[in-house]
Amino acid sequence: MAKEGKKKSGTSTRAWEAPASQLLRVGSDFSIGSFDAAATPGWSGGEKAALKRMKDVGEELSELQERLFAEGKHGGTRSVLLVLQGMDTAGKGGIVRHVVGMVDPQGVHHRSFGVPTEEERSHHYLWRIRNALPKPGKIGVFDRSQYEDVLVVRVNRLVDGDPWPERFGEINDFEREVAESGTVIVKCAMLVSPDEQLRRLEERLARLDKHWKYNPGDLNERENWDAYMAAYEDAIRNTSTDWAPWHAIPADNKWFARLAVSELLLEALQGLELGWPAADFDVAAEQSRIAAAKDAARRGVPSMRLQG
Ligand code: ADP
């Protein structure tokens, strides 16, 4: 008899008032002006309890990711895509390191999107996004995404006219197609306050080990803060759909943002109700072969050919 190798994922202590997906989900009435980036909505436990909860979430995430990976290896078609959008210093990198970093890197497909290359520019803006979608069994992570094309491109007027309503429609259709093909999409807008951003930029300058993260161009982005916020609000309002809803993550407290995204990822994986793939071989017969090999080894028979 083969036994269950690991305990089935279950619940662990939590101080959430409701599932994070409900608490953080935003839609067509989202108002960035009244958003508090320093809040910890629905979490009453404080930082210490959050770090403890992160450990439990990490264990569950790790097991569920392995189940997803195993399913992908056995003909499954499902995957998860975590989309991270945010201004510089909002903590996207920290999410990749501290949240996604809790699972086996073999099962993660990470992609960041910078200024489009010449080749990318010669295609539709969704071309590079489509090419980066996670394969079955994987957790895809987009550090920036298709939304750059309705954010930075909009604020800096990098295309003519007013194509935003049309682009929102295109993105919604694209995401629907991705969701219908078996990818659960988890979209997180990491929203940091301008004061906290300034503090983080200052810290980057003050510390030798952070200089590599500092980019003088980041201040230009900051100069257009209001235009960016308006673009974020419009994008979120128009692209938060049933198949790919937006979550607004208050990002001034790194510990809260990391916990919140961990919970969203966990909920996405739990929703897949992942099992372990059944063996496509005769387990009892293989156990007999192993028993025979052990017996041979004990008797000192050098390299017994296993029957099978
Ligand atoms: P990060 O700032 O995330 O660490 P980079 O330093 O590579 O990464 O910056 C990526 C830059 O590329 C950002 O300023 C972003 O706004 C820009 N970018 C991403 N996508 C586009 C796009 N489609 N058009 C223009 N700029 C883009």
Side-chain angles (χ1 to χ4, degrees):
M1 262 284 284
K3 58 179 192 268
E4 186 102 335
K6 295 178 179 176
K7 74 172 167 44
K8 201 171 181 320
S9 53
T11 50
S12 47
T13 51
R14 54 169 70 207
W16 287 103
E17 277 162 24
S21 59
Q22 283 173 27
L23 292 161
L24 302 168
R25 183 171 173 160
V26 286
S28 56
D29 58 351
F30 178 60
S31 160
I32 216 155
S34 51
F35 185 79
D36 180 1
T40 60
W43 177 259
S44 53
E47 181 173 1
K48 221 169 135 198
L51 296 179
K52 190 164 171 290
R53 169 74 189 154
M54 277 287 279
K55 274 190 76 179
D56 292 343
V57 174
E59 274 171 34
E60 271 194 73
L61 269 181
S62 181
E63 176 176 334
L64 293 178
Q65 181 265 326
E66 192 178 337
R67 289 178 185 234
L68 179 65
F69 189 76
E71 182 184 276
K73 286 274 175 207
H74 283 76
T77 55
R78 301 187 296 177
S79 60
V80 172
L81 174 61
L82 178 65
V83 174
L84 300 172
Q85 269 300 148
M87 300 286 275
D88 285 311
T89 77
K92 301 186 299 301
I95 297 294
V96 175
R97 212 163 30 253
H98 297 279
V99 177
V100 182
M102 294 194 292
V103 307
D104 185 345
Q106 285 185 91
V108 174
H109 179 77
H110 172 267
R111 177 71 207 273
S112 47
F113 295 97
V115 177
T117 61
E118 204 175 311
E119 187 188 18
E120 287 170 347
R121 271 203 309 276
S122 71
H123 293 273
H124 187 273
Y125 67 93
L126 290 174
W127 179 80
R128 64 176 182 165
I129 307 294
R130 192 180 286 281
N131 286 343
L133 289 170
K135 299 272 181 286
K138 292 282 184 100
I139 297 179
V141 182
F142 283 180
D143 181 342
R144 303 185 187 272
S145 63
Q146 57 272 30
Y147 289 96
E148 290 294 323
D149 283 275
V150 290
L151 294 170
V152 66
V153 171
R154 183 175 189 174
V155 170
N156 293 301
R157 297 191 177 85
L158 301 179
V159 295
D160 295 331
D162 183 33
W164 320 117
E166 187 193 330
R167 286 196 173 190
F168 294 147
E170 273 174 356
I171 290 175
N172 287 339
D173 290 347
F174 169 72
E175 290 178 351
R176 186 200 282 269
E177 183 196 323
V178 171
E180 284 176 352
S181 75
T183 302
V184 180
I185 305 173
V186 182
K187 296 193 298 203
C188 296
M190 313 284 302
L191 300 172
V192 71
S193 66
D195 287 350
E196 177 62 15
Q197 190 199 47
L198 203 54
R199 204 193 57 71
R200 290 182 187 177
L201 288 172
E202 199 178 22
E203 184 185 69
R204 284 183 182 179
L205 279 182
R207 287 177 49 175
L208 281 179
D209 62 330
K210 301 257 181 184
H211 282 179
W212 67 275
K213 284 190 182 183
Y214 189 85
N215 175 358
D218 293 351
L219 279 177
N220 302 343
E221 188 189 85
R222 201 183 151 75
E223 279 154 17
N224 290 316
W225 188 271
D226 291 346
Y228 268 105
M229 291 306 108
Y232 266 93
E233 185 180 87
D234 203 28
I236 289 172
R237 286 182 176 186
N238 286 287
T239 60
S240 196
T241 54
D242 287 343
W243 54 93
W246 272 109
H247 303 91
I249 314 291
D252 279 10
N253 291 298
K254 288 181 181 173
W255 61 265
F256 177 78
R258 290 170 189 171
L259 176 64
V261 178
S262 305
E263 298 280 2
L264 294 173
L265 199 52
L266 181 61
E267 279 185 50
L269 283 157
Q270 284 172 334
L272 292 175
E273 299 188 345
L274 292 151
W276 291 109
D280 51 7
F281 50 84
D282 181 338
V283 176
E286 292 305 305
Q287 284 172 330
S288 303
R289 291 176 69 204
I290 297 284
K294 273 173 80 177
D295 188 47
R298 191 164 36 80
R299 284 185 289 112
V301 179
S303 54
M304 185 192 162
R305 222 183 123 254
L306 298 179
Q307 307 283 308

